[in-house]
Amino acid sequence: MAHTAVLIPGDGIGVETSAAMQEVVAASGAQIDWVIEKAGAACIDEFGTPLPDRTVEAIRQHKVAIKGPVTTPVGTGFRSVNVALRKTLDLYANLRPVISIPGAGGRYDNVDLVVVRENTEDLYAGIEFEEGSEDALKLIQDIDDMGKGTIRKDSGISIKPISVTATRNITEFAFNYAVKNGRSKVTAVHKANIMKHSDGLFLREAREVAKGYEGKIGFDDRIIDAFCMNMVMDPSQFDVIVFPNLYGDIASDLAAGLVGGLGIAPGANIGHECAVFEAVHGSAPDIAGKNLANPTAEILSAAMMLDHIDEHEAAERIRSAIRVVYAKGEVLTGDIRRAEGQAKAPASTTDFTAAVVAEMA
């Protein structure tokens, strides 16, 4: 059965990793009709925005998309295309499986956990006040007048909203994922001991949702700083982990580092109607066009997409081929830490892709 999916190649190495992903998906036997759309800085001259309306509408129409990395300026310029997509399409759940791949250079060989991150609120909601602006100074004065504290007048301010609605949505998603995928426990991560009316709300609502799964799925919670220490010391104590937006962003990269890095970390942004799958690493403009990029994360994100559209055999064919290529260790890109006895010369993007395709022949 043929499926239609939107492909946003992105920029930087995204063009190369997206091409590699398409080749591997074709070899898996899945029939995908690709609708190619654009996003990123290169769109600004043509459309006046890094996220054209036609790209968003294509995703709304076809419900499923996969994108390569898009460069986001640091401190200046346009806001993240990723954040804009999540907000515009209400892709409230960010899903990132973190699984050890033998030969991928991970610090552990037994990691099998899932990060579930709330995608629409918290400090990433984009409610900000520029230092010295009239609005910032008014807010500072209002906070002082309410007796809530004194903020220096030369401060920039970001607002951290966490709602009952979004918290229940993401925790229900985490528990439902655990049930569907045979997982045993959900851990909620927070800083409720300090931020009692935002993180405190998150913890309270997570506990309420957990009551509906008693006897089916276990539940516990961790403070974010203690969680990070425990994750590094022994990741096997975690299964499905649900976070507010910012903590989930940071912790998911930390988790990826335990198994070999962002080059092998797939991800998905899922809403009630649409889903956008993506490699979670950056666009690496310094190596763009040099045939050096590791396409594993984009390929594994495509496998998640195939599972989403019920092409489970094709998805597992891809994951199995990836595992074999890494276990052999003969054709690995330069970002992968080599194990003793593995080939030292880094493979190109195209060579790695060809090796994965060959394992599916």
Side-chain angles (χ1 to χ4, degrees):
M1 176 182 175
H3 304 269
T4 302
V6 177
L7 171 60
I8 305 168
D11 52 35
I13 61 172
V15 176
E16 298 160 81
T17 59
S18 294
M21 177 275 298
Q22 287 179 278
E23 188 175 345
V24 170
V25 168
S28 76
Q31 298 180 44
I32 305 295
D33 295 327
W34 298 105
V35 176
I36 311 298
E37 295 292 351
K38 299 177 181 179
C43 296
I44 295 177
D45 289 343
E46 182 177 358
F47 298 100
T49 173
L51 183 59
D53 289 343
R54 58 173 291 165
T55 301
V56 175
E57 289 309 312
I59 299 171
R60 283 201 175 106
Q61 178 183 349
H62 300 293
K63 309 301 183 188
V64 176
I66 185 168
K67 61 175 287 296
V70 175
T71 304
T72 301
V74 177
T76 60
F78 61 83
R79 294 186 64 85
S80 166
V81 167
N82 294 338
V83 172
L85 274 172
R86 293 164 188 166
K87 291 182 67 175
T88 303
L89 297 169
D90 193 25
L91 306 175
Y92 68 92
N94 181 255
L95 182 65
R96 285 180 55 174
V98 182
I99 302 173
S100 296
I101 301 176
R107 271 59 180 177
Y108 298 86
D109 57 11
N110 62 342
V111 178
D112 183 3
L113 56 85
V114 180
V115 169
V116 178
R117 165 191 169 197
E118 202 287 317
N119 243 353
T120 65
E121 296 190 324
D122 200 354
L123 291 170
Y124 286 13
I127 306 169
E128 294 193 298
F129 298 83
E130 184 178 4
E131 174 267 323
S133 67
E134 181 179 344
D135 286 342
L137 294 173
K138 182 178 185 301
L139 180 59
I140 289 168
Q141 187 60 55
D142 287 345
I143 290 170
D144 185 59
D145 291 345
M146 288 186 286
K148 295 294 186 180
T150 300
I151 300 175
R152 294 186 179 93
K153 294 187 184 299
D154 59 351
S155 297
I157 301 172
S158 296
I159 303 294
K160 177 189 171 85
I162 291 183
S163 70
V164 171
T165 299
T167 300
R168 283 188 166 266
N169 279 342
I170 199 63
T171 49
E172 287 280 5
F173 182 96
F175 276 98
N176 288 336
Y177 180 93
V179 170
K180 183 178 179 180
N181 291 276
R183 298 282 177 162
S184 61
K185 183 178 72 170
V186 172
T187 299
V189 179
H190 58 89
K191 192 68 175 174
N193 56 326
I194 301 298
M195 287 169 279
K196 301 184 185 299
H197 300 302
S198 51
D199 286 37
L201 181 152
F202 182 88
L203 177 58
R204 183 189 75 219
E205 296 303 320
R207 286 173 171 168
E208 284 299 310
V209 170
K211 291 177 182 177
Y213 295 85
E214 287 180 356
K216 299 178 184 177
I217 302 294
F219 175 76
D220 66 0
D221 69 271
R222 302 289 176 95
I223 295 172
I224 179 63
D225 40 338
F227 164 81
C228 289
M229 179 191 70
N230 287 314
M231 172 74 101
V232 171
M233 292 179 67
D234 179 16
S236 69
Q237 63 191 290
F238 298 107
D239 192 353
V240 177
I241 318 161
V242 62
F243 299 85
N245 204 338
L246 177 63
Y247 305 149
D249 189 11
I250 296 167
S252 56
D253 280 16
L254 182 151
L258 302 180
V259 298
L262 291 178
I264 64 170
N269 300 289
I270 300 173
H272 295 293
E273 296 185 1
C274 300
V276 178
F277 299 82
E278 62 176 349
V280 299
H281 56 68
S283 58
D286 56 319
I287 62 168
K290 297 180 180 179
N291 200 22
L292 298 175
N294 185 352
T296 301
E298 189 83 6
I299 292 169
L300 290 177
S301 297
M304 292 178 68
M305 181 189 76
L306 293 177
D307 277 328
H308 183 75
I309 60 176
D310 294 327
E311 290 284 353
H312 302 294
E313 290 185 9
E316 187 50 40
R317 202 171 292 128
I318 289 172
R319 284 189 285 262
S320 178
I322 289 284
R323 288 193 293 267
V324 171
V325 170
Y326 274 91
K328 288 182 176 179
E330 297 168 356
V331 189
L332 300 177
T333 51
D335 59 309
I336 298 301
R337 187 166 63 96
R338 302 303 200 270
E340 188 68 30
Q342 284 184 320
K344 302 299 181 184
S348 67
T349 307
T350 51
D351 285 344
F352 175 85
T353 305
V356 174
V357 168
E359 293 297 338
M360 292 189 288

